[in-house]
Amino acid sequence: MSKKKEKKEIYKSSKWLLVFLIAILSIMVVIRNKTLDNDIWYLLSEGRHILNNGLYHIDPLSMHEGLNVVVQNWLSASVLWVIYDFFGEMGLLLLIVLCNIAICVLLYKICYLISEENKILSTIIMFICDMTLITHFIVSRPQIFSYITLLGLIYALELYIHKKDKKYLIWIPIISFIQINMHASLWIMLFLFILCYVIDSFHCKNLRLQGYEKKPLFIAIIIAILVGFINPYGYKAITFIFGSFLDSYMRIFIKELLPFSINNDLCKHMAIIILIIGLIYTYFREGNVKVRYICLFCGTMILGFMAIKGFSNFILVAFFPLAYFFKDMVPKDLRNVFLPVQKIINIIFISFACLVIIGFGYVYISNKNTITLKHNAQGAIDTLLKYTDKEDATVYSSFNDGGYVEFRGLKAYIDPRAEYYLKKNNGKADIFKEFYDLQHGSLDTKEFIKKYNFTHLLVADTDYLYNKINTETDNYFILYDNTELGYRLYCRNDMFSDEERKKVIDSYNKVIEEAKKNQ
C-alpha cells in the first residue's frame, strides 16, 4: 500500500469518527431542547415587531408607556422570528442544532491547530467540551450565536500566531460587528478574550510570555472597537450591560446571575472541571505553558464565581488548551484500531445518519401543521382573547409569563427582559424592584392593583397574588382556572355587564363540567 493511499485511509477513519460524534451531540441537543427556553417568547415578540414595524427605542411590548430600551439582541431576535415564521418550532430546533454543529467544528479546528494536527485528541476534547456545554447552556437564546463568534475569535487569533499571517486578523473587526448586533451584552467578552492574547504577545522569558508581532494585532483591536459602534443604538448598546449586570435585585431574583454556590448542580459540575484542569495546569507547570491559556482559564473562572452564567464562557476556553498539553501523549491516529473495521464504522454511521434524517423528516412532515410552541398559560390566554380585544387588555403577569403574554399580542406588566424594567436603564420607573417587592410581600396588593387598574390578572400558583384576590370584595372575577396547569385568570368586573358576566361564568363552568365528564 502506498503512503499516499495509507494517509488517505487514516484521514477517512478519523473524519468519520468526528462526524459520528457530532451526530450524537446533535441528538443530545434535540433531547435537551424538546421544550424550548422560556426566553423564546419575548425574543420572537421582539423579532416580529422589528420586522413588521422597524427598530425601536421606546418599548412597544409592555403595558408601560415611554420606557427607553436598547434591544441588544435585535438581530438574533429577527433571525429567530424569521425561522419560526417560515418553519415553526421545528425550524427553531434545527437552528439550535446547526449552531451547535458550528460550535463543534470550531472547537475541533482550534484543538487540531494547537495539537499539531492530532485528530483523535481534537475529536475527544471537542466531544467532552460540547457535551458539557449542551448539558447547561445550549438553548434557544442569543448566546448560541455568541458561542460561535467567541470561538471564531479564538480560532482567528490562534491562526495568526501559528501561521504568522496578518490576514487572519481581519476576522476580528468582522466578528466584533456581528457580535454587537447579534448579542451586544457579550460584546465586551470579545475583548476580555483578546486581552489574554495581548498579554501573551509581549516577550518575557521570566513570565514565559510567548511574544509575537503586536502592531497588526493592536490595529485590528482598535478597528474592532470602532466597529462596535456600528449598531442601531450606538454607544448605548455597549454600555447597556453595565446598568443591569451588577444590579442587586436582578442578582437576587435571576438564578443565572447568582454567585457560585456548591449547592447548585451546575456549580458542582464546574468545581470538578476546575479541579481536574487546575491539576493538569499544575502538573505541566515545568513545561512551556501558554500564558494566554492560563489567563483565559482564570479570567472566565472568576466570571463564573461572580455569576454562574459566566461559566458558559469558562467551558468554551477551559478544554481546548488540553489539546496543547496532551498533543505528544495521544497518538495522532488510531490506525491499528480503526483501519481494519473502517468499512463497518462507515456502514454504522451511514445507517445512523439515514435514520436521523428519516426520523426528523417524518416528524416534521407529519406534524408541520400542528407543531407549535406551547405554554401552560395557553388556555388562560385563549379564554382572555375569546372575550376581549387585544387593544383593550392590560395584563398583569409574572416575570416568567410576560413574554408569552406579549407573544400573543397583549400588553404585559413585566417579562423576562429584566434590565428593561430598571429605572437607570428605562429612565422612567423601577418596575423590576416593584415586582420584586410585590412577590416578597412588601407591597399592598390592593394598592398595587388599583395603581395599574389591570383588565386581567394572569397568576401562576407560584405567584404571590394567586390566593390574594378576593372575588367578593375585589373588583375581579375568575374567568379561567386550571389547577393542574397551575394558572388562574381574573377579569375586571366592569369588562362585562352583570348579565354578560353571569353568562360568561356559566359558560365557562359548563366547559369545565364537560371536561371532567370526558376525563
Side-chain angles (χ1 to χ4, degrees), residues 196 281 289-300 321 325:
C196 300
Y281 274 74
V289 179
K290 302 298 182 186
V291 171
R292 59 181 179 273
Y293 300 153
I294 297 175
C295 291
L296 286 170
F297 177 84
C298 295
T300 53
F325 290 131

Side-chain angles (χ1 to χ4, degrees), residues 245-372:
F245 181 74
L246 297 177
D247 184 81
S248 58
Y249 285 97
M250 285 187 62
R251 290 177 67 82
I252 293 172
F253 202 82
I254 302 175
K255 292 182 179 179
E256 63 185 21
L257 294 182
L258 290 172
F260 180 91
S261 172
I262 200 63
N263 295 322
N264 184 290
D265 290 338
L266 167 62
C267 293
K268 290 177 183 176
H269 191 183
M270 293 302 104
I272 294 170
I273 293 173
I274 290 169
L275 179 61
I276 293 173
I277 298 180
L279 290 173
I280 293 172
Y281 274 74
T282 303
Y283 180 80
F284 284 94
R285 66 185 185 280
E286 298 301 328
N288 187 22
V289 179
K290 302 298 182 186
V291 171
R292 59 181 179 273
Y293 300 153
I294 297 175
C295 291
L296 286 170
F297 177 84
C298 295
T300 53
M301 179 181 66
I302 292 171
L303 289 176
F305 281 128
M306 293 171 59
I308 58 177
K309 182 180 181 180
F311 279 124
S312 61
N313 301 307
F314 171 77
I315 294 170
L316 289 178
V317 301
F319 287 93
F320 79 80
L322 301 181
Y324 172 78
F325 290 131
F326 296 119
K327 62 183 179 180
D328 297 322
M329 299 182 186
V330 178
K332 290 193 175 182
D333 65 80
L334 299 180
R335 177 174 56 182
N336 296 331
V337 176
F338 286 107
L339 283 183
V341 293
Q342 181 171 317
K343 290 183 179 180
I344 297 175
I345 290 174
N346 291 347
I347 292 172
I348 292 173
F349 169 76
I350 293 171
S351 301
F352 178 78
C354 289
L355 286 173
V356 171
I357 294 170
I358 293 171
F360 191 90
Y362 173 76
V363 171
Y364 178 75
I365 293 171
S366 61
N367 294 281
K368 64 180 181 179
N369 295 321
T370 58
I371 290 179
T372 56

Side-chain angles (χ1 to χ4, degrees), residues 181-197:
N181 288 284
M182 274 287 188
H183 195 194
S185 63
L186 280 183
W187 181 80
I188 193 69
M189 189 58 61
L190 292 176
F191 297 93
L192 293 178
F193 280 15
I194 290 173
L195 178 61
C196 300
Y197 284 82

Side-chain angles (χ1 to χ4, degrees), residues 481-493:
D481 192 9
N482 191 319
T483 54
E484 290 184 6
L485 295 177
Y487 280 92
R488 184 179 293 159
L489 178 68
Y490 293 92
C491 180
R492 203 173 64 207
N493 286 335

